[in-house]
Amino acid sequence: MAGNRLKLELTRVVQGKSRLGIIKGLGRKGQHSLEVPGCLLYTHFGTVPHLTQDTLHTLNSLPSITQVTLSTIAEHQEVLEEFKDGFRAFAGLHDTVLYCSLHDPAAPCPTGYTTNKTVSVWGSGGRIELTVEKFMALQKTVQPDFYQSMADGETWQNNTSRKRVRKSVDRTLAHLDECLLVHQKVQELEGVEVFGVVEGGDILEERVRSARETAKRPVAGFCLDGLQTGSMDQTLRTQLITAVNKELPEDKPRLLQGVGRPDEVLACVEAGVDLFESFFPFQVTERGCALCFNFDISADPERAGTAPPEVLEQNKEGDPEGEAQHNGDISVEDQTQMTSFEINLKDKRYHDDFRSLVEGCGCYCCMNHQRAYVHHLLVTNELLAGVLLMIHNTAHYHGFFSALREALANDKLDLLKRRVLRDRGQIETKE
């Protein structure tokens, strides 16, 4: 069975839900740890988009967990099997904890291809159908430190019937039991942990049933699936997460899939989520945008890694519609649209703006270049634009999570929410 070294040690629970702590025992030897609330390091086939390993490691406080997905790895199974030493060595990832998920959170995943015995993932070459046997053979080849069990996650659409949702929960539990059974017999997976997947669509009773039954299995943590941006409004998502977390043990981490916007992260942390996937900076970079929102909760407004008030005003102007987008109004098809947490550096107003992307940010891009230069790189289609934006967006996003942990530790969560949501008209009153 799984190694069972991984454990979440809580140092504080704020208002009965928001959890501050550290996950210990990560990795085959249990030598790594990760503070929560936190996020994983998002990659494409083991590489952070636009960045080399050397460039990536110029950034401070990177997560100790790197996320890879079967949707990109499955089509290279034969090569990895011939290599034999696992994906970490194959990709040159060295000293990091490897987490293997089923789907890429930043890529579309067509529905309608799940059966009682199979799920499908989508790589560059199209659809790949996975049985439990093939799924576990891939895990044996990848040799991750922990992985998400196989699951039927096609019930996030709001018109999904109760019968289909119930079937999704039953299938996911059956897949988990089969994965755990095979896992016990594979020597290459000794010491590897399994995360069970909680499904249930938007039906409270099925969510609770899925959580309760998954918690009975010998899993190291939980993936909350089918709650991604665009699938439901934040109020319903919060209600479902709160109900699910009541059924889950406190000492095991909860990873929420498909949610990355700062306002949604804050709401989900308040509902008891520990971990997130950090695909949002990549999406922002692909739009030619820079993250520019304020998360400063210190007395010094010039503190590195924060956005001063004038940046927030530019942020407001940068929205293509002239208004901030609010929770619940982004469809799945609209996730490529700009949010109010970023500025669009393709806009001609930046052609003579010689400020850094975010005043006070200590990343390489902000320390060495101006908005006007990045604008020039974007309009001339230079590859360096993506590199500089990804450096900044990654640093800014992880800085936000550091501020979130600091806010929880110092009773400043309400202040952080006011900073982050200032221009969005979304500040919620305390219950």
Side-chain angles (χ1 to χ4, degrees), residues 261 263 319-321 323-330 334 337-341 423-424 426:
R261 277 194 354 232
D263 58 320
D319 193 294
E321 303 297 329
E323 296 181 356
Q325 297 178 20
H326 299 285
N327 276 343
D329 64 356
I330 297 181
D334 290 338
Q337 291 187 359
M338 181 178 162
T339 70
S340 62
F341 298 104
D423 284 350
R424 295 175 60 84
Q426 296 182 53

Side-chain angles (χ1 to χ4, degrees), residues 38-50:
C39 60
L40 315 177
L41 186 66
Y42 172 76
T43 71
H44 282 174
F45 205 64
T47 300
V48 175
H50 300 290

Side-chain angles (χ1 to χ4, degrees), residues 52-60 62 362-364 391:
T52 65
Q53 285 291 322
D54 288 342
T55 304
L56 173 67
H57 285 94
T58 62
L59 300 175
N60 296 321
L62 289 172
C363 80
Y364 174 85
I391 288 173

